[in-house]
Amino acid sequence: LLASAAAAAWWWSTDPGHAIGVAIAVLIVTCPCALSLATPAATLAAAGALARRGVLVRRLQAFEMATRIDTVVFDKTGTLTHDRMAVEAVRVRDGVTPTVALRLAAALAQHSLHPVSRALLAAAPEGPPVVVDVRELPGQGLCGTVGEGGAAQVLRLGSARFCNAPPKQCAGDLLQAHLADAQGWMATFDLGESVRADAVAAVQALRSMGLHVQLLSGDRSRAVQRLAWRAGIDTAFGDRSPEDKLAHVRALQQRGHRVAMVGDGINDAPALALAALSFTLGESAALARSRADVVVMGGQLAAVPALLRHAARTRAVVWQNLAWAAGYNAVCVPLAVAGWMPAWLAGLGMATSSLVVVMNAARLARSPEAY
């Protein structure tokens, strides 16, 4: 506006009609269409390309933050490993049969979406008993009342600490869930889990990008370290509650790290909310999805490095757009002020500038690299 007014005042004494034309041309040239389109056009095109591959970017600011990440922290169960597990062994106390233990565990497990709960429910006989007053305690397990009246009993299903499992029942490297009643420990379930097919490749891709990769889990440290070795992760921590995971991410941030968190359960929700960038899988708990910036519908871990690389390309396109918009104004504004660019040509130049920005951003709409 100031440039337009100054140009009109300069030319007014020579030719008022020409002065008005120059003022209009300056206004048209400086219309910030290309500048205002530079970032949103690029991020929307990039988000659309990822959405077609099953990766939903819930917050477009994630593209900007993804270019600053230096540490990626993975959850274990249901994230690095398949969410489909199988009960491999059942150990019970005297007087309890494996069948009864599985039926009671399934009564609680049917109220949870955790991979361990789904495995117990699948292994149990048909028709688990009815359970009431079920509560899920993040990082610990489930508790509820089975039966009615004098036959009712309060059961707990979850970690060894939550169920007061004897140390001898916690031996081995397999993932375990425990069942307890008012008398104490009742049963231990050994569950087998396998690493996702693309987990090793995803970790290698992240490390090749110069990122630090860590594993953070509420499972026992021996099992966590064993799986971390299989996935190619050097730094792993087990026996971490939701509060511990949150404190771990906060400690990394206080040391100056930009952290991306990848998780799928309600235990991960606080850390997902705190992390600079958060990913969750499509079959994750609703609370985890609500806290995540990116939801990977197909569950492919390779989408994590793919998004980080696509974010780098998006940033490059944004800077190209900004440079073009600035260069266009730097060249055309002096021409308009000097009276060498009529209003019709200024309008054509403004439209062309915006079109160049949109077409450059449209390159990001092509599907990102396969994963």
Side-chain angles (χ1 to χ4, degrees), residues 13-365:
S13 60
T14 304
D15 184 350
H18 180 67
I20 293 175
V22 168
I24 293 174
V26 172
L27 287 176
I28 294 173
V29 166
T30 55
C31 182
C33 291
L35 193 64
S36 60
L37 286 171
T39 299
T43 54
L44 285 172
L50 289 167
R52 287 190 291 274
R53 300 298 301 273
V55 180
L56 305 182
V57 181
R58 299 181 64 248
R59 301 180 182 89
L60 293 181
Q61 295 88 340
F63 285 108
E64 179 181 356
M65 189 55 64
T67 61
R68 306 176 184 177
I69 295 301
D70 61 18
T71 304
V72 180
V73 178
F74 284 96
D75 172 50
K76 183 176 79 70
T77 304
T79 302
L80 276 181
T81 64
H82 285 289
D83 58 0
R84 296 178 297 278
M85 299 181 181
V87 177
E88 297 188 356
V90 181
R91 298 190 299 278
V92 297
R93 77 181 181 208
D94 293 340
V96 179
T97 66
T99 300
V100 170
L102 279 171
R103 290 186 73 248
L104 293 175
L108 291 171
Q110 63 186 333
H111 295 275
S112 173
L113 294 176
H114 195 279
V116 170
S117 296
R118 290 198 287 264
L120 291 171
L121 190 60
E126 294 294 332
V130 176
V131 61
V132 297
D133 298 330
V134 180
R135 292 180 298 148
E136 185 165 8
L137 307 176
Q140 300 182 66
L142 296 154
C143 66
T145 303
V146 176
E148 298 179 352
Q153 56 179 330
V154 177
L155 298 178
R156 288 171 291 162
L157 175 68
S159 66
R161 182 183 303 175
F162 184 54
C163 298
N164 297 319
K168 66 179 182 179
Q169 300 296 340
C170 302
D173 293 330
L174 291 177
L175 178 66
Q176 292 179 330
H178 305 270
L179 181 67
D181 60 8
Q183 302 177 39
W185 172 83
M186 179 183 294
T188 292
F189 308 96
D190 292 336
L191 300 106
E193 58 182 345
S194 59
V195 180
R196 289 182 182 270
D198 62 346
V200 175
V203 170
Q204 290 178 345
L206 292 170
R207 295 181 64 174
S208 69
M209 297 166 64
L211 303 177
H212 303 289
V213 182
Q214 298 183 359
L215 177 57
L216 198 61
S217 175
D219 295 338
R220 290 175 301 134
S221 293
R222 288 181 60 186
V224 173
Q225 294 291 342
R226 183 170 177 265
L227 188 132
W229 177 81
R230 293 168 60 190
I233 300 176
D234 295 330
T235 306
F237 304 91
D239 297 313
R240 293 299 193 267
S241 66
E243 293 78 10
D244 294 333
K245 292 181 179 181
L246 182 66
H248 183 89
V249 173
R250 181 178 288 115
L252 288 173
Q253 292 176 336
Q254 290 174 348
R255 292 199 295 268
H257 293 288
R258 300 281 185 171
V259 181
M261 179 73 190
V262 188
D264 75 314
I266 60 174
N267 298 346
D268 306 314
L272 289 170
L274 180 63
L277 179 65
S278 52
F279 296 80
T280 190
L281 308 184
E283 297 180 354
S284 60
L287 182 59
R289 290 198 301 272
S290 70
R291 295 294 183 267
D293 299 310
V294 182
V295 179
V296 183
M297 299 305 297
Q300 304 98 328
L301 289 176
V304 176
L307 182 138
L308 296 181
R309 282 192 283 260
H310 205 51
R313 289 193 290 271
T314 302
R315 180 178 62 177
V317 168
V318 167
W319 280 107
Q320 291 168 9
N321 287 347
L322 292 173
W324 166 260
Y328 159 78
N329 280 277
V331 171
C332 293
V333 169
L335 295 177
V337 171
W340 295 344
M341 178 174 285
W344 67 268
L345 184 57
L348 182 61
M350 183 196 68
T352 301
S353 177
S354 299
L355 183 62
V356 168
V357 166
V358 172
M359 291 180 64
N360 189 43
R363 296 187 298 118
L364 293 168

